[in-house]
Amino acid sequence: MDGGSPMQISTPNEDPVPRVLQDAIGVNLAVDVEGAPGHLQQGLQQIIGSHNVAYFAQTSSAQAEHVWSVQFEHTEDVASGTFDVRSVTGQVPQITVRYNRTIDAFRALGQVLTAARAAEVAALTNPSALQTPDFTISESAQFETLALMIDCSRNGVLNVNSVRAMLRNMALMGYTMLQLYTEDTYKVEGEPFFGYLRGGYTHDELRAIDDYAFAMGIEVVACIQTLGHLGQMLQWPRYAGLRDTNEVILSRAPETYAFLEKLIKAASAPLRSKRIHIGMDEAYGVGEGRFRGLYGQVEGTAIFVEHLGR
Protein backbone atom coordinates (compact mmCIF):
# COMPACT_ATOMS: atom_id res chain seq x y z
CA MET A 1 0.00 0.00 0.00
CA ASP A 2 1.24 3.48 -0.89
CA GLY A 3 1.91 5.17 2.47
CA GLY A 4 1.18 8.59 0.96
CA SER A 5 -2.44 7.87 0.08
CA PRO A 6 -5.24 8.14 2.66
CA MET A 7 -7.25 4.98 3.37
CA GLN A 8 -10.53 4.84 1.47
CA ILE A 9 -13.68 3.62 3.22
CA SER A 10 -16.84 2.89 1.30
CA THR A 11 -20.16 1.09 1.54
CA PRO A 12 -22.19 -0.33 -1.35
CA ASN A 13 -24.29 2.86 -1.36
CA GLU A 14 -21.65 5.56 -1.14
CA ASP A 15 -18.67 6.64 -3.17
CA PRO A 16 -15.25 6.15 -1.53
CA VAL A 17 -14.30 9.18 0.56
CA PRO A 18 -11.19 9.87 2.62
CA ARG A 19 -11.62 9.20 6.35
CA VAL A 20 -9.59 11.85 8.17
CA LEU A 21 -10.37 12.15 11.86
CA GLN A 22 -10.00 15.32 13.92
CA ASP A 23 -9.74 17.68 10.98
CA ALA A 24 -12.32 19.86 9.25
CA ILE A 25 -14.93 17.10 9.03
CA GLY A 26 -14.02 15.27 12.24
CA VAL A 27 -16.20 14.90 15.34
CA ASN A 28 -14.57 14.75 18.76
CA LEU A 29 -16.49 13.39 21.73
CA ALA A 30 -15.68 15.12 25.01
CA VAL A 31 -16.88 12.60 27.59
CA ASP A 32 -17.55 14.09 31.02
CA VAL A 33 -15.81 11.40 33.05
CA GLU A 34 -15.60 13.34 36.31
CA GLY A 35 -19.28 14.19 36.14
CA ALA A 36 -20.33 10.63 35.32
CA PRO A 37 -21.74 8.28 37.97
CA GLY A 38 -18.92 6.72 40.00
CA HIS A 39 -19.51 3.20 38.71
CA LEU A 40 -18.84 4.38 35.15
CA GLN A 41 -15.70 6.44 35.64
CA GLN A 42 -13.05 3.73 35.49
CA GLY A 43 -14.64 2.05 32.49
CA LEU A 44 -14.94 5.35 30.64
CA GLN A 45 -11.28 6.06 31.29
CA GLN A 46 -10.43 2.64 29.87
CA ILE A 47 -12.41 3.35 26.71
CA ILE A 48 -11.20 6.91 26.20
CA GLY A 49 -7.56 6.24 27.06
CA SER A 50 -7.05 3.11 25.03
CA HIS A 51 -9.66 2.70 22.33
CA ASN A 52 -8.33 2.44 18.81
CA VAL A 53 -10.37 5.29 17.33
CA ALA A 54 -9.53 8.97 17.37
CA TYR A 55 -13.00 10.30 18.21
CA PHE A 56 -12.37 10.92 21.89
CA ALA A 57 -11.11 14.28 23.11
CA GLN A 58 -10.30 15.35 26.63
CA THR A 59 -13.27 16.97 28.37
CA SER A 60 -11.42 20.28 28.70
CA SER A 61 -10.17 20.33 25.11
CA ALA A 62 -11.42 23.14 22.90
CA GLN A 63 -8.86 22.66 20.14
CA ALA A 64 -11.00 20.49 17.90
CA GLU A 65 -13.37 22.36 15.62
CA HIS A 66 -16.35 20.06 16.22
CA VAL A 67 -16.81 18.82 19.78
CA TRP A 68 -19.85 17.02 21.16
CA SER A 69 -20.07 16.87 24.94
CA VAL A 70 -21.31 13.49 26.24
CA GLN A 71 -22.88 13.13 29.69
CA PHE A 72 -24.34 10.13 31.51
CA GLU A 73 -27.35 9.92 33.80
CA HIS A 74 -28.14 6.78 35.77
CA THR A 75 -31.85 6.44 36.47
CA GLU A 76 -34.29 3.81 37.64
CA ASP A 77 -36.87 5.39 35.33
CA VAL A 78 -35.21 3.53 32.46
CA ALA A 79 -35.84 -0.22 32.47
CA SER A 80 -32.92 -2.61 32.83
CA GLY A 81 -31.52 -3.31 29.37
CA THR A 82 -32.82 -0.02 27.98
CA PHE A 83 -31.12 3.29 27.26
CA ASP A 84 -31.97 6.51 25.49
CA VAL A 85 -29.71 9.15 23.98
CA ARG A 86 -30.73 12.76 23.39
CA SER A 87 -28.88 15.55 21.61
CA VAL A 88 -29.28 19.25 22.40
CA THR A 89 -27.71 21.75 20.03
CA GLY A 90 -25.74 24.73 21.26
CA GLN A 91 -22.30 26.27 21.07
CA VAL A 92 -21.06 22.85 22.17
CA PRO A 93 -23.71 20.22 21.36
CA GLN A 94 -24.74 18.23 24.44
CA ILE A 95 -25.38 14.48 24.22
CA THR A 96 -27.11 12.96 27.26
CA VAL A 97 -27.24 9.20 27.85
CA ARG A 98 -29.87 7.87 30.28
CA TYR A 99 -29.42 4.26 31.33
CA ASN A 100 -29.97 1.68 34.06
CA ARG A 101 -27.40 -1.12 33.72
CA THR A 102 -23.71 -0.22 33.47
CA ILE A 103 -23.26 -2.11 30.20
CA ASP A 104 -26.12 -0.17 28.60
CA ALA A 105 -24.22 3.08 29.14
CA PHE A 106 -21.31 1.71 27.13
CA ARG A 107 -23.58 0.31 24.43
CA ALA A 108 -25.10 3.79 24.20
CA LEU A 109 -21.62 5.32 23.85
CA GLY A 110 -21.02 2.94 20.96
CA GLN A 111 -24.19 4.25 19.32
CA VAL A 112 -23.01 7.83 19.82
CA LEU A 113 -19.81 6.87 18.00
CA THR A 114 -21.99 5.57 15.17
CA ALA A 115 -23.92 8.85 15.10
CA ALA A 116 -20.65 10.77 14.95
CA ARG A 117 -19.51 8.76 11.96
CA ALA A 118 -22.87 9.29 10.26
CA ALA A 119 -22.56 13.03 10.87
CA GLU A 120 -19.11 13.05 9.26
CA VAL A 121 -20.53 11.43 6.14
CA ALA A 122 -23.50 13.82 6.11
CA ALA A 123 -21.15 16.80 6.50
CA LEU A 124 -19.66 16.11 3.08
CA THR A 125 -22.84 17.65 1.64
CA ASN A 126 -24.24 19.42 4.72
CA PRO A 127 -21.54 20.96 6.98
CA SER A 128 -24.09 21.88 9.66
CA ALA A 129 -24.56 18.18 10.48
CA LEU A 130 -21.49 18.38 12.70
CA GLN A 131 -22.40 21.65 14.39
CA THR A 132 -26.08 20.93 15.09
CA PRO A 133 -26.52 17.21 15.65
CA ASP A 134 -30.20 16.36 16.00
CA PHE A 135 -30.91 12.76 16.90
CA THR A 136 -32.44 10.50 19.50
CA ILE A 137 -31.53 6.85 20.07
CA SER A 138 -33.45 4.37 22.19
CA GLU A 139 -32.86 0.64 22.54
CA SER A 140 -34.20 -2.20 24.66
CA ALA A 141 -32.18 -5.41 24.93
CA GLN A 142 -34.02 -8.54 23.78
CA PHE A 143 -31.83 -10.82 25.89
CA GLU A 144 -30.62 -10.42 29.46
CA THR A 145 -27.27 -12.01 28.59
CA LEU A 146 -25.22 -11.46 25.45
CA ALA A 147 -22.04 -13.52 25.65
CA LEU A 148 -18.85 -14.06 23.70
CA MET A 149 -16.69 -17.17 24.10
CA ILE A 150 -13.08 -16.93 22.93
CA ASP A 151 -11.14 -20.14 22.29
CA CYS A 152 -7.83 -19.83 24.17
CA SER A 153 -6.85 -23.50 23.84
CA ARG A 154 -5.65 -23.76 20.24
CA ASN A 155 -2.02 -22.64 20.54
CA GLY A 156 -3.11 -19.02 20.61
CA VAL A 157 -3.82 -17.74 24.10
CA LEU A 158 -4.77 -14.06 24.01
CA ASN A 159 -2.48 -12.00 26.21
CA VAL A 160 -4.04 -9.69 28.79
CA ASN A 161 -3.74 -6.56 26.66
CA SER A 162 -5.49 -8.30 23.76
CA VAL A 163 -8.31 -9.41 26.07
CA ARG A 164 -8.66 -5.83 27.29
CA ALA A 165 -8.93 -4.56 23.71
CA MET A 166 -11.59 -7.18 23.03
CA LEU A 167 -13.47 -6.13 26.18
CA ARG A 168 -13.52 -2.49 25.11
CA ASN A 169 -15.10 -3.43 21.80
CA MET A 170 -17.53 -5.76 23.57
CA ALA A 171 -18.62 -2.98 25.91
CA LEU A 172 -19.36 -0.61 23.03
CA MET A 173 -21.48 -3.36 21.44
CA GLY A 174 -23.36 -4.14 24.66
CA TYR A 175 -22.02 -7.62 25.43
CA THR A 176 -22.64 -8.61 29.04
CA MET A 177 -20.46 -11.71 29.40
CA LEU A 178 -17.04 -13.01 28.34
CA GLN A 179 -16.03 -16.66 28.55
CA LEU A 180 -12.38 -17.56 27.98
CA TYR A 181 -12.41 -21.19 26.84
CA THR A 182 -9.42 -22.73 28.61
CA GLU A 183 -8.90 -26.49 28.47
CA ASP A 184 -5.53 -26.43 30.19
CA THR A 185 -4.46 -22.81 29.68
CA TYR A 186 -4.80 -21.58 33.25
CA LYS A 187 -2.45 -22.16 36.14
CA VAL A 188 -3.26 -24.66 38.90
CA GLU A 189 -1.24 -24.52 42.10
CA GLY A 190 0.92 -27.59 42.59
CA GLU A 191 0.34 -28.82 39.03
CA PRO A 192 3.29 -27.63 36.91
CA PHE A 193 2.48 -30.06 34.07
CA PHE A 194 -1.09 -28.82 33.72
CA GLY A 195 -0.83 -26.55 30.69
CA TYR A 196 2.94 -27.01 30.55
CA LEU A 197 4.47 -24.56 28.05
CA ARG A 198 0.98 -23.60 26.80
CA GLY A 199 0.97 -19.95 27.91
CA GLY A 200 -1.84 -20.30 30.43
CA TYR A 201 -3.30 -17.45 32.47
CA THR A 202 -2.05 -16.92 36.01
CA HIS A 203 -4.38 -16.15 38.91
CA ASP A 204 -3.29 -12.50 38.83
CA GLU A 205 -3.88 -12.21 35.08
CA LEU A 206 -7.41 -13.59 35.38
CA ARG A 207 -8.10 -11.22 38.27
CA ALA A 208 -6.84 -8.27 36.19
CA ILE A 209 -9.08 -9.29 33.27
CA ASP A 210 -12.05 -9.59 35.62
CA ASP A 211 -11.41 -6.16 37.15
CA TYR A 212 -11.13 -4.56 33.72
CA ALA A 213 -14.36 -6.17 32.51
CA PHE A 214 -16.26 -5.37 35.69
CA ALA A 215 -15.57 -1.65 35.26
CA MET A 216 -17.55 -1.80 31.99
CA GLY A 217 -20.38 -3.99 33.25
CA ILE A 218 -19.13 -7.26 31.73
CA GLU A 219 -19.15 -10.55 33.66
CA VAL A 220 -16.20 -12.90 33.11
CA VAL A 221 -17.12 -16.57 33.50
CA ALA A 222 -14.67 -19.46 33.74
CA CYS A 223 -15.06 -21.97 30.90
CA ILE A 224 -13.23 -25.28 31.44
CA GLN A 225 -13.36 -28.97 30.54
CA THR A 226 -14.03 -31.79 33.02
CA LEU A 227 -14.28 -34.96 30.90
CA GLY A 228 -13.12 -34.76 27.28
CA HIS A 229 -10.83 -32.31 25.48
CA LEU A 230 -8.08 -32.96 28.02
CA GLY A 231 -5.52 -34.57 25.73
CA GLN A 232 -2.96 -31.79 26.23
CA MET A 233 -2.91 -32.60 29.94
CA LEU A 234 -3.25 -36.38 29.71
CA GLN A 235 -0.20 -36.71 27.45
CA TRP A 236 2.10 -36.22 30.45
CA PRO A 237 3.14 -39.21 32.62
CA ARG A 238 2.18 -37.15 35.67
CA TYR A 239 -1.48 -37.73 34.75
CA ALA A 240 -1.30 -41.32 33.50
CA GLY A 241 -3.38 -42.47 36.48
CA LEU A 242 -6.18 -40.08 35.48
CA ARG A 243 -6.37 -41.27 31.88
CA ASP A 244 -9.26 -43.22 30.40
CA THR A 245 -8.35 -42.55 26.75
CA ASN A 246 -5.90 -40.12 25.19
CA GLU A 247 -8.51 -37.34 25.37
CA VAL A 248 -10.89 -38.39 28.17
CA ILE A 249 -10.28 -38.30 31.90
CA LEU A 250 -11.03 -41.41 33.99
CA SER A 251 -14.55 -41.31 35.43
CA ARG A 252 -15.52 -42.94 38.73
CA ALA A 253 -11.97 -42.84 40.17
CA PRO A 254 -11.88 -40.82 43.44
CA GLU A 255 -8.58 -39.18 42.52
CA THR A 256 -10.21 -37.80 39.36
CA TYR A 257 -12.76 -35.82 41.34
CA ALA A 258 -10.19 -34.51 43.78
CA PHE A 259 -8.26 -33.25 40.76
CA LEU A 260 -11.32 -31.73 39.07
CA GLU A 261 -12.12 -29.87 42.27
CA LYS A 262 -8.68 -28.27 42.07
CA LEU A 263 -9.36 -27.24 38.47
CA ILE A 264 -12.72 -25.68 39.29
CA LYS A 265 -11.29 -23.73 42.22
CA ALA A 266 -8.27 -22.53 40.22
CA ALA A 267 -10.37 -21.32 37.28
CA SER A 268 -13.13 -19.65 39.29
CA ALA A 269 -11.27 -18.21 42.30
CA PRO A 270 -9.91 -15.09 40.50
CA LEU A 271 -13.34 -14.13 39.17
CA ARG A 272 -16.28 -12.35 40.78
CA SER A 273 -18.87 -14.44 38.97
CA LYS A 274 -20.54 -17.31 40.79
CA ARG A 275 -21.20 -18.99 37.45
CA ILE A 276 -18.92 -21.43 35.69
CA HIS A 277 -19.18 -23.20 32.34
CA ILE A 278 -18.26 -26.85 32.92
CA GLY A 279 -17.64 -28.56 29.58
CA MET A 280 -18.24 -32.28 29.04
CA ASP A 281 -18.64 -32.28 25.27
CA GLU A 282 -17.06 -34.58 22.68
CA ALA A 283 -15.96 -37.18 25.24
CA TYR A 284 -15.48 -39.70 22.45
CA GLY A 285 -14.61 -43.20 23.61
CA VAL A 286 -15.58 -42.57 27.24
CA GLY A 287 -15.39 -45.87 29.11
CA GLU A 288 -13.50 -47.59 26.29
CA GLY A 289 -9.98 -47.19 27.66
CA ARG A 290 -8.61 -47.81 31.13
CA PHE A 291 -12.12 -47.43 32.55
CA ARG A 292 -13.17 -50.77 30.99
CA GLY A 293 -10.19 -52.57 32.49
CA LEU A 294 -10.87 -51.15 35.95
CA TYR A 295 -14.67 -51.18 36.13
CA GLY A 296 -15.86 -53.41 33.31
CA GLN A 297 -17.97 -52.54 30.31
CA VAL A 298 -20.48 -49.76 31.02
CA GLU A 299 -22.61 -47.98 28.44
CA GLY A 300 -21.16 -44.56 27.62
CA THR A 301 -24.29 -42.54 28.39
CA ALA A 302 -24.50 -44.11 31.83
CA ILE A 303 -20.89 -43.10 32.54
CA PHE A 304 -21.60 -39.61 31.34
CA VAL A 305 -24.66 -39.19 33.58
CA GLU A 306 -22.81 -40.67 36.58
CA HIS A 307 -19.91 -38.29 36.00
CA LEU A 308 -22.26 -35.32 35.73
CA GLY A 309 -23.88 -36.31 39.01
CA ARG A 310 -20.54 -36.19 40.79
Side-chain angles (χ1 to χ4, degrees):
M1 179 181 293
D2 181 3
S5 301
M7 180 180 293
Q8 304 290 312
I9 296 180
S10 64
T11 69
N13 297 319
E14 67 175 346
D15 295 328
V17 295
R19 172 86 181 279
V20 184
L21 299 178
Q22 292 186 319
D23 71 357
I25 65 165
V27 173
N28 289 263
L29 301 180
V31 179
D32 184 8
V33 177
E34 292 184 359
H39 60 268
L40 286 188
Q41 291 181 6
Q42 181 179 339
L44 289 173
Q45 289 286 15
Q46 291 171 182
I47 293 283
I48 295 168
S50 304
H51 202 264
N52 59 345
V53 296
Y55 282 104
F56 295 110
Q58 296 299 319
T59 304
S60 59
S61 173
Q63 297 178 355
E65 183 174 349
H66 303 293
V67 177
W68 297 358
S69 176
V70 183
Q71 300 174 330
F72 293 87
E73 177 188 339
H74 179 259
T75 176
E76 298 295 333
D77 294 337
V78 176
S80 178
T82 299
F83 67 81
D84 62 63
V85 179
R86 310 279 179 187
S87 65
V88 178
T89 58
Q91 184 175 2
V92 177
Q94 302 289 321
I95 312 296
T96 301
V97 175
R98 299 173 71 248
Y99 69 98
N100 188 312
R101 298 185 306 175
T102 298
I103 189 60
D104 296 323
F106 290 97
R107 165 68 180 171
L109 182 58
Q111 292 294 73
V112 173
L113 282 168
T114 300
R117 173 59 179 143
E120 287 183 346
V121 174
L124 295 174
T125 56
N126 177 21
S128 67
L130 297 177
Q131 300 166 348
T132 58
D134 183 15
F135 62 86
T136 61
I137 306 170
S138 181
E139 284 189 359
S140 295
Q142 301 302 302
F143 298 95
E144 181 179 346
T145 301
L146 184 61
L148 174 66
M149 179 190 290
I150 301 176
D151 190 340
C152 297
S153 299
R154 297 292 175 270
N155 299 320
V157 181
L158 289 180
N159 62 34
V160 174
N161 284 336
S162 295
V163 176
R164 286 173 173 167
M166 186 71 71
L167 284 165
R168 292 192 296 271
N169 288 326
M170 288 175 61
L172 293 173
M173 291 187 285
Y175 278 80
T176 62
M177 179 185 293
L178 172 65
Q179 296 184 16
L180 297 174
Y181 174 69
T182 50
E183 293 174 357
D184 66 327
T185 47
Y186 56 100
K187 301 297 184 182
V188 181
E189 187 176 357
E191 300 292 341
F193 280 95
F194 184 82
Y196 181 61
L197 296 181
R198 293 262 287 156
Y201 296 110
T202 66
H203 181 284
D204 289 344
E205 287 174 333
L206 289 173
R207 174 60 59 85
I209 289 170
D210 189 60
D211 288 344
Y212 200 86
F214 180 76
M216 296 181 290
I218 298 174
E219 177 184 7
V220 180
V221 174
C223 181
I224 66 173
Q225 289 289 352
T226 59
L227 185 58
H229 284 290
L230 291 174
Q232 289 287 345
M233 177 197 83
L234 294 172
Q235 68 179 309
W236 301 111
R238 165 72 176 84
Y239 301 111
L242 300 179
R243 186 186 302 141
D244 180 4
T245 71
N246 289 339
E247 289 287 332
V248 179
I249 203 167
L250 181 64
S251 298
R252 195 173 289 181
E255 56 269 29
T256 291
Y257 298 99
F259 180 74
L260 291 179
E261 184 175 352
K262 291 180 68 175
L263 299 190
I264 292 170
K265 288 181 177 178
S268 60
L271 310 177
R272 290 174 175 82
S273 178
K274 300 304 180 184
R275 293 191 269 196
I276 183 171
H277 183 291
I278 294 179
M280 292 175 53
D281 64 303
E282 297 184 353
Y284 302 127
V286 62
E288 299 297 322
R290 292 182 62 244
F291 182 98
R292 178 178 292 186
L294 292 169
Y295 305 111
Q297 184 169 356
V298 181
E299 198 271 327
T301 302
I303 299 172
F304 188 95
V305 172
E306 176 187 328
H307 187 71
L308 178 60
R310 297 292 293 270

